[in-house]
Amino acid sequence: MGPVLGLLAFYAVEAQMVFLFPLALDGSPRPFRASRALALGAGGTLSVMGTVLLLAAVMLFGGLAGRGVVRCWCLGCLAVVLWYEELTGGAFVSG
C-alpha cells in the first residue's frame, strides 16, 4: 500500500508542476505559481492528475507495447505542450 500512496503523492505534486517547463521556456517570471494556476484552470489537481497518469502510462509503458520507447516519451511531452497551448491560447502567461 505504501508504494501506491507514494506514487499517487508524486503525481499529485507533478500535476501542480506539469506546465512548469513550457512556462519557463516562455519566460514566465513565476513559473511555479503560473503552473499551479493553469492546473486549477484545467480542472484542479484531481482532474489534471488523471490526465497526467494517463500520459505517464503511455510514456512509460508504450514502448513495451511495441510502439517505441522514445516515440512514446516524446508524444507524452508533446501532449503536455499542446495542452499548455490550448489552456493559454498561445498567449504568454506571466504567473
Side-chain angles (χ1 to χ4, degrees), residues 18 22-23 27 31 34 43-44 48 53 56 71-72 76 78 91:
V18 68
L23 282 162
V48 171
L53 283 168
R71 180 180 184 277
C72 288
L78 179 60

Side-chain angles (χ1 to χ4, degrees), residues 15-60:
Q16 305 307 306
M17 295 188 286
V18 68
F19 304 113
L20 186 63
F21 188 67
L23 282 162
L25 287 176
D26 272 352
S28 174
R30 295 186 179 101
F32 285 96
R33 183 180 293 175
S35 183
R36 171 75 177 129
L38 281 176
L40 286 173
T45 300
L46 291 179
S47 177
V48 171
M49 223 173 119
T51 302
V52 168
L53 283 168
L54 289 172
L55 288 173
V58 170
M59 291 171 79
L60 295 173

